Amino acid sequence: MSVPIALLGLIEREPSHGYDLKRDYDAYFGRGKPLPFGQVYATLARLARDGKVVPGDAEPGAGPDRKRYAITESGRLEIADWLAEPVEPEPHLQTVLFVKVVLALMLGRSAERYLDTQRAAHLQRMRELTELKRSGGAVDALLADHGLFHLEADLRWIDLTCARLDALSEMVRA
Amino acid sequence: MTAPHPVVPDSEDCLIEARHALLSFGATPALQGASVRVGAGEILAVMGPSGSGKSTLLHCLAGILTPDSGEIHYSGRRVDTLREQERSALRRDHFGFVFQFGQLVPELTAEENVALPLLLGGARRGDALREARGWFGQLGLGGLEQRRSGELSGGQAQRVALARGLVARPQVLFADEPTGSLDSLTGEQVMELLVAAARQQGTTVVLVTHEARVAAYADREVIVRDGTVRSMSTHRVGS
Ligand SMILES: Nc1ncnc2c1ncn2[C@@H]1O[C@H](COP(=O)(O)OP(=O)(O)OP(=O)(O)O)[C@@H](O)[C@H]1O
Ligand SMILES: [Mg+2]
């Protein structure tokens, strides 16, 4: 997740202090990984340097959080471009899942056992996301669903691989 | 938010158990020593490839089929040795069923379909229909009580079938691909309702599905492969 673009988006929504940005980022995008304040201010400084945001006049009070940042035209353009750009629809084949299966087969170890264990871990995570979806709000559900569909795709791959292990094993060990 | 890690029930905590069930259809082996335990109040997903024996296992657990060898226990009773008449009474009095297709009686209205298990259990017609009607609102089926199954969408028919499976407050609900013919959203609604109703009534659920997103509503999953059951909950990663 790109922190700068998310903060920029939050600023486009409404001019904000660093504190507001951190709070909203954590609420919408953080998902249990709160953004450190230091990173908020460092990012704001960079966005300001690049002309994407402008700080307002310092407001009375102490600490670094006296400025309210507003988006610039160039910042708005950046958001528009970013939203217009699809994410690379990359098949994540070269992931550790794949490497584990191929290595297991190569070494004559049980790939099936690994895949079964992986399936159980995937399903446990899916149960957690389902629970989150049932107990949380609409935004939680949106994110949980994305995770669920991705894990499901992995599981399909796991099932198919399981069904093909004998043939795969012959090829890898040939 | 985190779902607790699944635990395989001990023999004494379990409500239903298959012990080394074997069953062949002619020369086709369907179950080859399948063992599984279902805890009281547990929602268990039964997964596995097509043809692996999931439905056969479900039918054995539910006393619809009798294994050639092995044992089926329900609530401390041996089921597979019961006479057909006793098994049929057990099914009627303790179990509810939801299947994938063609389960509503086409000549009956939706509410008569839902009332069926109550009527078979000896309830008076008026009482049974009143009880049945009570399910329509909570399943989002208000107004469809008088429709026949041919006049319902697939998702509506599936919810009617779910109500019928649960109306008699069975000890166990056996569901074979209950979302099989539904799109993701409708399938999800059916699962929400199934899980909520089961939890509320303390109903144990055996849920056959090949869909991981459906299985994720369960407390635990087992995988059936080549007529045997593999439980994955014993070796887990991470946590
Ligand atoms: N009534 C029957 N007569 C003959 N063979 C049968 C019968 N029912 C099932 N089988 C066979 O038994 C095996 C197990 O079938 P079962 O229906 O239990 O599989 P399943 O796991 O439920 O598959 P699916 O996911 O496709 O529903 C299959 O080889 C099937 O062809
Ligand atoms: Mg089946």
Side-chain angles (χ1 to χ4, degrees), chain A residues 112 116-117 121 124 127 130-131 133-134 149 152 155, chain B residues 3 6 188 192 213 216 218 221 225 230 235 237:
Chain A
E112 183 171 6
D116 282 348
T117 310
Q124 175 63 19
R127 265 194 291 278
T130 301
E131 190 51 39
K133 198 163 95 166
R134 301 182 66 220
F149 280 109
E152 184 185 38
L155 274 170
Chain B
E188 198 164 279
E192 288 283 349
R213 267 176 310 113
E221 81 282 356
R225 203 175 286 150
R230 322 186 153 213
H235 50 100
V237 290

mmCIF file with all atom_site columns, all heavy atoms in Angstrom, chain A residues 112 116-117 121 124 127 130-131 133-134 149 152 155, chain B residues 3 6 188 192 213 216 218 221 225 230 235 237:
data_model
loop_
_atom_site.group_PDB
_atom_site.id
_atom_site.type_symbol
_atom_site.label_atom_id
_atom_site.label_alt_id
_atom_site.label_comp_id
_atom_site.label_asym_id
_atom_site.label_entity_id
_atom_site.label_seq_id
_atom_site.pdbx_PDB_ins_code
_atom_site.Cartn_x
_atom_site.Cartn_y
_atom_site.Cartn_z
_atom_site.occupancy
_atom_site.B_iso_or_equiv
_atom_site.pdbx_formal_charge
_atom_site.auth_seq_id
_atom_site.auth_comp_id
_atom_site.auth_asym_id
_atom_site.auth_atom_id
_atom_site.pdbx_PDB_model_num
ATOM 1   N N   . GLU A 1 112 ? 2.490   -32.958 -0.978 1.00 0.00 ? 112 GLU A N   1
ATOM 2   C CA  . GLU A 1 112 ? 1.078   -33.048 -0.598 1.00 0.00 ? 112 GLU A CA  1
ATOM 3   C C   . GLU A 1 112 ? 0.878   -32.614 0.856  1.00 0.00 ? 112 GLU A C   1
ATOM 4   O O   . GLU A 1 112 ? -0.044  -31.882 1.182  1.00 0.00 ? 112 GLU A O   1
ATOM 5   C CB  . GLU A 1 112 ? 0.576   -34.482 -0.785 1.00 0.00 ? 112 GLU A CB  1
ATOM 6   C CG  . GLU A 1 112 ? -0.894  -34.604 -0.477 1.00 0.00 ? 112 GLU A CG  1
ATOM 7   C CD  . GLU A 1 112 ? -1.451  -35.965 -0.856 1.00 0.00 ? 112 GLU A CD  1
ATOM 8   O OE1 . GLU A 1 112 ? -0.679  -36.856 -1.249 1.00 0.00 ? 112 GLU A OE1 1
ATOM 9   O OE2 . GLU A 1 112 ? -2.667  -36.124 -0.752 1.00 0.00 ? 112 GLU A OE2 1
ATOM 10  N N   . ASP A 1 116 ? -1.366  -29.562 2.049  1.00 0.00 ? 116 ASP A N   1
ATOM 11  C CA  . ASP A 1 116 ? -2.445  -29.731 3.034  1.00 0.00 ? 116 ASP A CA  1
ATOM 12  C C   . ASP A 1 116 ? -2.292  -28.747 4.190  1.00 0.00 ? 116 ASP A C   1
ATOM 13  O O   . ASP A 1 116 ? -3.264  -28.153 4.656  1.00 0.00 ? 116 ASP A O   1
ATOM 14  C CB  . ASP A 1 116 ? -2.453  -31.170 3.574  1.00 0.00 ? 116 ASP A CB  1
ATOM 15  C CG  . ASP A 1 116 ? -3.098  -32.145 2.595  1.00 0.00 ? 116 ASP A CG  1
ATOM 16  O OD1 . ASP A 1 116 ? -3.734  -31.669 1.621  1.00 0.00 ? 116 ASP A OD1 1
ATOM 17  O OD2 . ASP A 1 116 ? -2.974  -33.364 2.786  1.00 0.00 ? 116 ASP A OD2 1
ATOM 18  N N   . THR A 1 117 ? -1.062  -28.597 4.641  1.00 0.00 ? 117 THR A N   1
ATOM 19  C CA  . THR A 1 117 ? -0.807  -27.662 5.733  1.00 0.00 ? 117 THR A CA  1
ATOM 20  C C   . THR A 1 117 ? -1.117  -26.236 5.298  1.00 0.00 ? 117 THR A C   1
ATOM 21  O O   . THR A 1 117 ? -1.713  -25.458 6.030  1.00 0.00 ? 117 THR A O   1
ATOM 22  C CB  . THR A 1 117 ? 0.678   -27.749 6.158  1.00 0.00 ? 117 THR A CB  1
ATOM 23  O OG1 . THR A 1 117 ? 1.000   -29.114 6.365  1.00 0.00 ? 117 THR A OG1 1
ATOM 24  C CG2 . THR A 1 117 ? 0.924   -26.975 7.432  1.00 0.00 ? 117 THR A CG2 1
ATOM 25  N N   . ALA A 1 121 ? -3.883  -23.502 6.694  1.00 0.00 ? 121 ALA A N   1
ATOM 26  C CA  . ALA A 1 121 ? -3.536  -22.134 7.095  1.00 0.00 ? 121 ALA A CA  1
ATOM 27  C C   . ALA A 1 121 ? -4.378  -21.119 6.316  1.00 0.00 ? 121 ALA A C   1
ATOM 28  O O   . ALA A 1 121 ? -4.856  -20.132 6.874  1.00 0.00 ? 121 ALA A O   1
ATOM 29  C CB  . ALA A 1 121 ? -2.052  -21.879 6.854  1.00 0.00 ? 121 ALA A CB  1
ATOM 30  N N   . GLN A 1 124 ? -7.874  -21.139 7.703  1.00 0.00 ? 124 GLN A N   1
ATOM 31  C CA  . GLN A 1 124 ? -7.939  -20.470 9.005  1.00 0.00 ? 124 GLN A CA  1
ATOM 32  C C   . GLN A 1 124 ? -7.997  -18.956 8.799  1.00 0.00 ? 124 GLN A C   1
ATOM 33  O O   . GLN A 1 124 ? -8.795  -18.257 9.418  1.00 0.00 ? 124 GLN A O   1
ATOM 34  C CB  . GLN A 1 124 ? -6.733  -20.875 9.856  1.00 0.00 ? 124 GLN A CB  1
ATOM 35  C CG  . GLN A 1 124 ? -6.622  -20.155 11.186 1.00 0.00 ? 124 GLN A CG  1
ATOM 36  C CD  . GLN A 1 124 ? -7.798  -20.428 12.124 1.00 0.00 ? 124 GLN A CD  1
ATOM 37  O OE1 . GLN A 1 124 ? -8.534  -21.412 11.945 1.00 0.00 ? 124 GLN A OE1 1
ATOM 38  N NE2 . GLN A 1 124 ? -8.003  -19.557 13.099 1.00 0.00 ? 124 GLN A NE2 1
ATOM 39  N N   . ARG A 1 127 ? -11.360 -17.997 7.614  1.00 0.00 ? 127 ARG A N   1
ATOM 40  C CA  . ARG A 1 127 ? -12.331 -17.959 8.717  1.00 0.00 ? 127 ARG A CA  1
ATOM 41  C C   . ARG A 1 127 ? -12.226 -16.636 9.468  1.00 0.00 ? 127 ARG A C   1
ATOM 42  O O   . ARG A 1 127 ? -13.229 -16.036 9.832  1.00 0.00 ? 127 ARG A O   1
ATOM 43  C CB  . ARG A 1 127 ? -12.061 -19.104 9.701  1.00 0.00 ? 127 ARG A CB  1
ATOM 44  C CG  . ARG A 1 127 ? -12.904 -20.338 9.448  1.00 0.00 ? 127 ARG A CG  1
ATOM 45  C CD  . ARG A 1 127 ? -12.852 -21.277 10.630 1.00 0.00 ? 127 ARG A CD  1
ATOM 46  N NE  . ARG A 1 127 ? -11.543 -21.891 10.780 1.00 0.00 ? 127 ARG A NE  1
ATOM 47  C CZ  . ARG A 1 127 ? -11.144 -22.952 10.082 1.00 0.00 ? 127 ARG A CZ  1
ATOM 48  N NH1 . ARG A 1 127 ? -11.945 -23.519 9.228  1.00 0.00 ? 127 ARG A NH1 1
ATOM 49  N NH2 . ARG A 1 127 ? -9.939  -23.448 10.259 1.00 0.00 ? 127 ARG A NH2 1
ATOM 50  N N   . THR A 1 130 ? -13.739 -13.949 7.381  1.00 0.00 ? 130 THR A N   1
ATOM 51  C CA  . THR A 1 130 ? -15.197 -14.092 7.366  1.00 0.00 ? 130 THR A CA  1
ATOM 52  C C   . THR A 1 130 ? -15.789 -13.550 8.660  1.00 0.00 ? 130 THR A C   1
ATOM 53  O O   . THR A 1 130 ? -16.813 -12.871 8.660  1.00 0.00 ? 130 THR A O   1
ATOM 54  C CB  . THR A 1 130 ? -15.577 -15.572 7.181  1.00 0.00 ? 130 THR A CB  1
ATOM 55  O OG1 . THR A 1 130 ? -15.005 -16.033 5.953  1.00 0.00 ? 130 THR A OG1 1
ATOM 56  C CG2 . THR A 1 130 ? -17.085 -15.756 7.113  1.00 0.00 ? 130 THR A CG2 1
ATOM 57  N N   . GLU A 1 131 ? -15.092 -13.836 9.757  1.00 0.00 ? 131 GLU A N   1
ATOM 58  C CA  . GLU A 1 131 ? -15.544 -13.338 11.055 1.00 0.00 ? 131 GLU A CA  1
ATOM 59  C C   . GLU A 1 131 ? -15.491 -11.804 11.077 1.00 0.00 ? 131 GLU A C   1
ATOM 60  O O   . GLU A 1 131 ? -16.424 -11.148 11.531 1.00 0.00 ? 131 GLU A O   1
ATOM 61  C CB  . GLU A 1 131 ? -14.634 -13.940 12.139 1.00 0.00 ? 131 GLU A CB  1
ATOM 62  C CG  . GLU A 1 131 ? -15.095 -13.715 13.559 1.00 0.00 ? 131 GLU A CG  1
ATOM 63  C CD  . GLU A 1 131 ? -16.546 -14.097 13.781 1.00 0.00 ? 131 GLU A CD  1
ATOM 64  O OE1 . GLU A 1 131 ? -16.981 -15.113 13.210 1.00 0.00 ? 131 GLU A OE1 1
ATOM 65  O OE2 . GLU A 1 131 ? -17.247 -13.365 14.511 1.00 0.00 ? 131 GLU A OE2 1
ATOM 66  N N   . LYS A 1 133 ? -15.721 -9.881  8.585  1.00 0.00 ? 133 LYS A N   1
ATOM 67  C CA  . LYS A 1 133 ? -16.771 -9.398  7.705  1.00 0.00 ? 133 LYS A CA  1
ATOM 68  C C   . LYS A 1 133 ? -18.126 -9.403  8.419  1.00 0.00 ? 133 LYS A C   1
ATOM 69  O O   . LYS A 1 133 ? -18.936 -8.506  8.244  1.00 0.00 ? 133 LYS A O   1
ATOM 70  C CB  . LYS A 1 133 ? -16.818 -10.331 6.496  1.00 0.00 ? 133 LYS A CB  1
ATOM 71  C CG  . LYS A 1 133 ? -17.506 -9.771  5.320  1.00 0.00 ? 133 LYS A CG  1
ATOM 72  C CD  . LYS A 1 133 ? -17.137 -10.563 4.102  1.00 0.00 ? 133 LYS A CD  1
ATOM 73  C CE  . LYS A 1 133 ? -18.163 -11.621 3.853  1.00 0.00 ? 133 LYS A CE  1
ATOM 74  N NZ  . LYS A 1 133 ? -18.016 -12.178 2.494  1.00 0.00 ? 133 LYS A NZ  1
ATOM 75  N N   . ARG A 1 134 ? -18.339 -10.441 9.205  1.00 0.00 ? 134 ARG A N   1
ATOM 76  C CA  . ARG A 1 134 ? -19.632 -10.573 9.865  1.00 0.00 ? 134 ARG A CA  1
ATOM 77  C C   . ARG A 1 134 ? -19.755 -9.620  11.046 1.00 0.00 ? 134 ARG A C   1
ATOM 78  O O   . ARG A 1 134 ? -20.847 -9.200  11.392 1.00 0.00 ? 134 ARG A O   1
ATOM 79  C CB  . ARG A 1 134 ? -19.847 -12.014 10.328 1.00 0.00 ? 134 ARG A CB  1
ATOM 80  C CG  . ARG A 1 134 ? -19.788 -13.001 9.185  1.00 0.00 ? 134 ARG A CG  1
ATOM 81  C CD  . ARG A 1 134 ? -20.054 -14.403 9.632  1.00 0.00 ? 134 ARG A CD  1
ATOM 82  N NE  . ARG A 1 134 ? -21.420 -14.532 10.095 1.00 0.00 ? 134 ARG A NE  1
ATOM 83  C CZ  . ARG A 1 134 ? -21.785 -15.237 11.162 1.00 0.00 ? 134 ARG A CZ  1
ATOM 84  N NH1 . ARG A 1 134 ? -20.883 -15.857 11.869 1.00 0.00 ? 134 ARG A NH1 1
ATOM 85  N NH2 . ARG A 1 134 ? -23.036 -15.315 11.503 1.00 0.00 ? 134 ARG A NH2 1
ATOM 86  N N   . PHE A 1 149 ? -11.255 -13.521 -1.640 1.00 0.00 ? 149 PHE A N   1
ATOM 87  C CA  . PHE A 1 149 ? -11.212 -13.978 -3.030 1.00 0.00 ? 149 PHE A CA  1
ATOM 88  C C   . PHE A 1 149 ? -9.785  -14.359 -3.431 1.00 0.00 ? 149 PHE A C   1
ATOM 89  O O   . PHE A 1 149 ? -9.579  -15.315 -4.178 1.00 0.00 ? 149 PHE A O   1
ATOM 90  C CB  . PHE A 1 149 ? -11.784 -12.917 -3.973 1.00 0.00 ? 149 PHE A CB  1
ATOM 91  C CG  . PHE A 1 149 ? -13.290 -12.916 -4.005 1.00 0.00 ? 149 PHE A CG  1
ATOM 92  C CD1 . PHE A 1 149 ? -14.013 -11.883 -3.442 1.00 0.00 ? 149 PHE A CD1 1
ATOM 93  C CD2 . PHE A 1 149 ? -13.978 -13.968 -4.584 1.00 0.00 ? 149 PHE A CD2 1
ATOM 94  C CE1 . PHE A 1 149 ? -15.408 -11.887 -3.454 1.00 0.00 ? 149 PHE A CE1 1
ATOM 95  C CE2 . PHE A 1 149 ? -15.368 -13.988 -4.614 1.00 0.00 ? 149 PHE A CE2 1
ATOM 96  C CZ  . PHE A 1 149 ? -16.083 -12.947 -4.043 1.00 0.00 ? 149 PHE A CZ  1
ATOM 97  N N   . GLU A 1 152 ? -8.947  -17.602 -1.857 1.00 0.00 ? 152 GLU A N   1
ATOM 98  C CA  . GLU A 1 152 ? -9.681  -18.648 -2.563 1.00 0.00 ? 152 GLU A CA  1
ATOM 99  C C   . GLU A 1 152 ? -8.966  -19.032 -3.858 1.00 0.00 ? 152 GLU A C   1
ATOM 100 O O   . GLU A 1 152 ? -8.887  -20.209 -4.214 1.00 0.00 ? 152 GLU A O   1
ATOM 101 C CB  . GLU A 1 152 ? -11.099 -18.172 -2.868 1.00 0.00 ? 152 GLU A CB  1
ATOM 102 C CG  . GLU A 1 152 ? -11.933 -19.250 -3.513 1.00 0.00 ? 152 GLU A CG  1
ATOM 103 C CD  . GLU A 1 152 ? -13.301 -18.753 -3.936 1.00 0.00 ? 152 GLU A CD  1
ATOM 104 O OE1 . GLU A 1 152 ? -13.405 -17.604 -4.403 1.00 0.00 ? 152 GLU A OE1 1
ATOM 105 O OE2 . GLU A 1 152 ? -14.261 -19.513 -3.779 1.00 0.00 ? 152 GLU A OE2 1
ATOM 106 N N   . LEU A 1 155 ? -6.223  -21.220 -3.053 1.00 0.00 ? 155 LEU A N   1
ATOM 107 C CA  . LEU A 1 155 ? -6.711  -22.549 -2.697 1.00 0.00 ? 155 LEU A CA  1
ATOM 108 C C   . LEU A 1 155 ? -7.064  -23.377 -3.925 1.00 0.00 ? 155 LEU A C   1
ATOM 109 O O   . LEU A 1 155 ? -6.836  -24.576 -3.962 1.00 0.00 ? 155 LEU A O   1
ATOM 110 C CB  . LEU A 1 155 ? -7.920  -22.435 -1.781 1.00 0.00 ? 155 LEU A CB  1
ATOM 111 C CG  . LEU A 1 155 ? -7.559  -22.300 -0.309 1.00 0.00 ? 155 LEU A CG  1
ATOM 112 C CD1 . LEU A 1 155 ? -8.771  -21.957 0.518  1.00 0.00 ? 155 LEU A CD1 1
ATOM 113 C CD2 . LEU A 1 155 ? -6.931  -23.597 0.190  1.00 0.00 ? 155 LEU A CD2 1
ATOM 114 N N   . ALA B 2 3   ? -10.831 -15.758 14.469 1.00 0.00 ? 3   ALA B N   1
ATOM 115 C CA  . ALA B 2 3   ? -11.551 -17.005 14.709 1.00 0.00 ? 3   ALA B CA  1
ATOM 116 C C   . ALA B 2 3   ? -10.627 -17.911 15.507 1.00 0.00 ? 3   ALA B C   1
ATOM 117 O O   . ALA B 2 3   ? -9.430  -17.971 15.242 1.00 0.00 ? 3   ALA B O   1
ATOM 118 C CB  . ALA B 2 3   ? -11.922 -17.648 13.386 1.00 0.00 ? 3   ALA B CB  1
ATOM 119 N N   . PRO B 2 6   ? -9.356  -24.254 15.157 1.00 0.00 ? 6   PRO B N   1
ATOM 120 C CA  . PRO B 2 6   ? -10.259 -25.390 15.304 1.00 0.00 ? 6   PRO B CA  1
ATOM 121 C C   . PRO B 2 6   ? -9.671  -26.492 16.167 1.00 0.00 ? 6   PRO B C   1
ATOM 122 O O   . PRO B 2 6   ? -8.472  -26.700 16.184 1.00 0.00 ? 6   PRO B O   1
ATOM 123 C CB  . PRO B 2 6   ? -10.438 -25.873 13.869 1.00 0.00 ? 6   PRO B CB  1
ATOM 124 C CG  . PRO B 2 6   ? -9.322  -25.297 13.094 1.00 0.00 ? 6   PRO B CG  1
ATOM 125 C CD  . PRO B 2 6   ? -8.873  -24.064 13.797 1.00 0.00 ? 6   PRO B CD  1
ATOM 126 N N   . GLU B 2 188 ? -23.604 -16.134 -0.082 1.00 0.00 ? 188 GLU B N   1
ATOM 127 C CA  . GLU B 2 188 ? -23.165 -15.560 1.176  1.00 0.00 ? 188 GLU B CA  1
ATOM 128 C C   . GLU B 2 188 ? -24.346 -15.302 2.110  1.00 0.00 ? 188 GLU B C   1
ATOM 129 O O   . GLU B 2 188 ? -24.284 -15.565 3.309  1.00 0.00 ? 188 GLU B O   1
ATOM 130 C CB  . GLU B 2 188 ? -22.481 -14.244 0.844  1.00 0.00 ? 188 GLU B CB  1
ATOM 131 C CG  . GLU B 2 188 ? -21.619 -13.711 1.891  1.00 0.00 ? 188 GLU B CG  1
ATOM 132 C CD  . GLU B 2 188 ? -20.723 -12.659 1.270  1.00 0.00 ? 188 GLU B CD  1
ATOM 133 O OE1 . GLU B 2 188 ? -19.715 -13.030 0.648  1.00 0.00 ? 188 GLU B OE1 1
ATOM 134 O OE2 . GLU B 2 188 ? -21.077 -11.491 1.373  1.00 0.00 ? 188 GLU B OE2 1
ATOM 135 N N   . GLU B 2 192 ? -24.850 -16.835 5.752  1.00 0.00 ? 192 GLU B N   1
ATOM 136 C CA  . GLU B 2 192 ? -25.086 -15.973 6.926  1.00 0.00 ? 192 GLU B CA  1
ATOM 137 C C   . GLU B 2 192 ? -26.283 -16.490 7.716  1.00 0.00 ? 192 GLU B C   1
ATOM 138 O O   . GLU B 2 192 ? -26.233 -16.628 8.935  1.00 0.00 ? 192 GLU B O   1
ATOM 139 C CB  . GLU B 2 192 ? -25.396 -14.537 6.483  1.00 0.00 ? 192 GLU B CB  1
ATOM 140 C CG  . GLU B 2 192 ? -24.207 -13.776 5.946  1.00 0.00 ? 192 GLU B CG  1
ATOM 141 C CD  . GLU B 2 192 ? -23.283 -13.294 7.053  1.00 0.00 ? 192 GLU B CD  1
ATOM 142 O OE1 . GLU B 2 192 ? -23.687 -13.368 8.231  1.00 0.00 ? 192 GLU B OE1 1
ATOM 143 O OE2 . GLU B 2 192 ? -22.157 -12.889 6.729  1.00 0.00 ? 192 GLU B OE2 1
ATOM 144 N N   . ARG B 2 213 ? -14.779 -20.269 0.292  1.00 0.00 ? 213 ARG B N   1
ATOM 145 C CA  . ARG B 2 213 ? -15.429 -19.129 0.946  1.00 0.00 ? 213 ARG B CA  1
ATOM 146 C C   . ARG B 2 213 ? -16.658 -19.569 1.733  1.00 0.00 ? 213 ARG B C   1
ATOM 147 O O   . ARG B 2 213 ? -17.039 -18.938 2.699  1.00 0.00 ? 213 ARG B O   1
ATOM 148 C CB  . ARG B 2 213 ? -15.789 -18.040 -0.061 1.00 0.00 ? 213 ARG B CB  1
ATOM 149 C CG  . ARG B 2 213 ? -14.681 -16.987 -0.169 1.00 0.00 ? 213 ARG B CG  1
ATOM 150 C CD  . ARG B 2 213 ? -14.976 -15.943 -1.223 1.00 0.00 ? 213 ARG B CD  1
ATOM 151 N NE  . ARG B 2 213 ? -15.350 -16.569 -2.457 1.00 0.00 ? 213 ARG B NE  1
ATOM 152 C CZ  . ARG B 2 213 ? -16.570 -16.493 -2.984 1.00 0.00 ? 213 ARG B CZ  1
ATOM 153 N NH1 . ARG B 2 213 ? -17.494 -15.781 -2.396 1.00 0.00 ? 213 ARG B NH1 1
ATOM 154 N NH2 . ARG B 2 213 ? -16.826 -17.111 -4.104 1.00 0.00 ? 213 ARG B NH2 1
ATOM 155 N N   . ALA B 2 216 ? -15.378 -21.318 4.908  1.00 0.00 ? 216 ALA B N   1
ATOM 156 C CA  . ALA B 2 216 ? -14.834 -20.380 5.892  1.00 0.00 ? 216 ALA B CA  1
ATOM 157 C C   . ALA B 2 216 ? -15.882 -19.945 6.915  1.00 0.00 ? 216 ALA B C   1
ATOM 158 O O   . ALA B 2 216 ? -15.540 -19.338 7.921  1.00 0.00 ? 216 ALA B O   1
ATOM 159 C CB  . ALA B 2 216 ? -14.236 -19.161 5.195  1.00 0.00 ? 216 ALA B CB  1
ATOM 160 N N   . ALA B 2 218 ? -17.550 -22.174 8.491  1.00 0.00 ? 218 ALA B N   1
ATOM 161 C CA  . ALA B 2 218 ? -17.576 -23.293 9.438  1.00 0.00 ? 218 ALA B CA  1
ATOM 162 C C   . ALA B 2 218 ? -16.532 -23.096 10.533 1.00 0.00 ? 218 ALA B C   1
ATOM 163 O O   . ALA B 2 218 ? -15.659 -22.238 10.431 1.00 0.00 ? 218 ALA B O   1
ATOM 164 C CB  . ALA B 2 218 ? -17.328 -24.596 8.687  1.00 0.00 ? 218 ALA B CB  1
ATOM 165 N N   . GLU B 2 221 ? -12.650 -27.595 9.088  1.00 0.00 ? 221 GLU B N   1
ATOM 166 C CA  . GLU B 2 221 ? -12.891 -28.315 7.842  1.00 0.00 ? 221 GLU B CA  1
ATOM 167 C C   . GLU B 2 221 ? -12.167 -29.648 7.872  1.00 0.00 ? 221 GLU B C   1
ATOM 168 O O   . GLU B 2 221 ? -11.146 -29.798 8.527  1.00 0.00 ? 221 GLU B O   1
ATOM 169 C CB  . GLU B 2 221 ? -12.435 -27.493 6.630  1.00 0.00 ? 221 GLU B CB  1
ATOM 170 C CG  . GLU B 2 221 ? -10.944 -27.541 6.324  1.00 0.00 ? 221 GLU B CG  1
ATOM 171 C CD  . GLU B 2 221 ? -10.123 -26.649 7.235  1.00 0.00 ? 221 GLU B CD  1
ATOM 172 O OE1 . GLU B 2 221 ? -10.712 -25.926 8.064  1.00 0.00 ? 221 GLU B OE1 1
ATOM 173 O OE2 . GLU B 2 221 ? -8.875  -26.685 7.128  1.00 0.00 ? 221 GLU B OE2 1
ATOM 174 N N   . ARG B 2 225 ? -10.588 -37.336 0.570  1.00 0.00 ? 225 ARG B N   1
ATOM 175 C CA  . ARG B 2 225 ? -9.830  -37.649 -0.638 1.00 0.00 ? 225 ARG B CA  1
ATOM 176 C C   . ARG B 2 225 ? -9.828  -39.156 -0.807 1.00 0.00 ? 225 ARG B C   1
ATOM 177 O O   . ARG B 2 225 ? -9.499  -39.882 0.129  1.00 0.00 ? 225 ARG B O   1
ATOM 178 C CB  . ARG B 2 225 ? -8.404  -37.107 -0.519 1.00 0.00 ? 225 ARG B CB  1
ATOM 179 C CG  . ARG B 2 225 ? -7.746  -36.884 -1.848 1.00 0.00 ? 225 ARG B CG  1
ATOM 180 C CD  . ARG B 2 225 ? -6.384  -36.240 -1.691 1.00 0.00 ? 225 ARG B CD  1
ATOM 181 N NE  . ARG B 2 225 ? -6.485  -34.827 -1.342 1.00 0.00 ? 225 ARG B NE  1
ATOM 182 C CZ  . ARG B 2 225 ? -5.584  -34.189 -0.617 1.00 0.00 ? 225 ARG B CZ  1
ATOM 183 N NH1 . ARG B 2 225 ? -4.544  -34.818 -0.127 1.00 0.00 ? 225 ARG B NH1 1
ATOM 184 N NH2 . ARG B 2 225 ? -5.731  -32.914 -0.354 1.00 0.00 ? 225 ARG B NH2 1
ATOM 185 N N   . ARG B 2 230 ? -9.198  -36.628 5.726  1.00 0.00 ? 230 ARG B N   1
ATOM 186 C CA  . ARG B 2 230 ? -7.985  -36.101 6.326  1.00 0.00 ? 230 ARG B CA  1
ATOM 187 C C   . ARG B 2 230 ? -8.362  -34.888 7.108  1.00 0.00 ? 230 ARG B C   1
ATOM 188 O O   . ARG B 2 230 ? -8.954  -33.976 6.582  1.00 0.00 ? 230 ARG B O   1
ATOM 189 C CB  . ARG B 2 230 ? -7.004  -35.674 5.260  1.00 0.00 ? 230 ARG B CB  1
ATOM 190 C CG  . ARG B 2 230 ? -7.044  -36.620 4.123  1.00 0.00 ? 230 ARG B CG  1
ATOM 191 C CD  . ARG B 2 230 ? -5.987  -36.251 3.205  1.00 0.00 ? 230 ARG B CD  1
ATOM 192 N NE  . ARG B 2 230 ? -5.594  -37.438 2.483  1.00 0.00 ? 230 ARG B NE  1
ATOM 193 C CZ  . ARG B 2 230 ? -4.370  -37.642 2.086  1.00 0.00 ? 230 ARG B CZ  1
ATOM 194 N NH1 . ARG B 2 230 ? -3.458  -36.756 2.367  1.00 0.00 ? 230 ARG B NH1 1
ATOM 195 N NH2 . ARG B 2 230 ? -4.075  -38.713 1.424  1.00 0.00 ? 230 ARG B NH2 1
ATOM 196 N N   . HIS B 2 235 ? -1.940  -30.550 12.242 1.00 0.00 ? 235 HIS B N   1
ATOM 197 C CA  . HIS B 2 235 ? -0.705  -29.795 11.979 1.00 0.00 ? 235 HIS B CA  1
ATOM 198 C C   . HIS B 2 235 ? -1.059  -28.460 11.342 1.00 0.00 ? 235 HIS B C   1
ATOM 199 O O   . HIS B 2 235 ? -1.629  -28.375 10.276 1.00 0.00 ? 235 HIS B O   1
ATOM 200 C CB  . HIS B 2 235 ? 0.305   -30.582 11.143 1.00 0.00 ? 235 HIS B CB  1
ATOM 201 C CG  . HIS B 2 235 ? -0.241  -31.205 9.900  1.00 0.00 ? 235 HIS B CG  1
ATOM 202 N ND1 . HIS B 2 235 ? -0.083  -30.647 8.669  1.00 0.00 ? 235 HIS B ND1 1
ATOM 203 C CD2 . HIS B 2 235 ? -0.970  -32.325 9.719  1.00 0.00 ? 235 HIS B CD2 1
ATOM 204 C CE1 . HIS B 2 235 ? -0.667  -31.419 7.765  1.00 0.00 ? 235 HIS B CE1 1
ATOM 205 N NE2 . HIS B 2 235 ? -1.224  -32.428 8.378  1.00 0.00 ? 235 HIS B NE2 1
ATOM 206 N N   . VAL B 2 237 ? 0.151   -24.222 10.704 1.00 0.00 ? 237 VAL B N   1
ATOM 207 C CA  . VAL B 2 237 ? 1.311   -23.342 10.592 1.00 0.00 ? 237 VAL B CA  1
ATOM 208 C C   . VAL B 2 237 ? 0.978   -21.999 11.220 1.00 0.00 ? 237 VAL B C   1
ATOM 209 O O   . VAL B 2 237 ? -0.180  -21.674 11.412 1.00 0.00 ? 237 VAL B O   1
ATOM 210 C CB  . VAL B 2 237 ? 1.713   -23.134 9.114  1.00 0.00 ? 237 VAL B CB  1
ATOM 211 C CG1 . VAL B 2 237 ? 2.281   -24.398 8.557  1.00 0.00 ? 237 VAL B CG1 1
ATOM 212 C CG2 . VAL B 2 237 ? 0.536   -22.662 8.303  1.00 0.00 ? 237 VAL B CG2 1
#
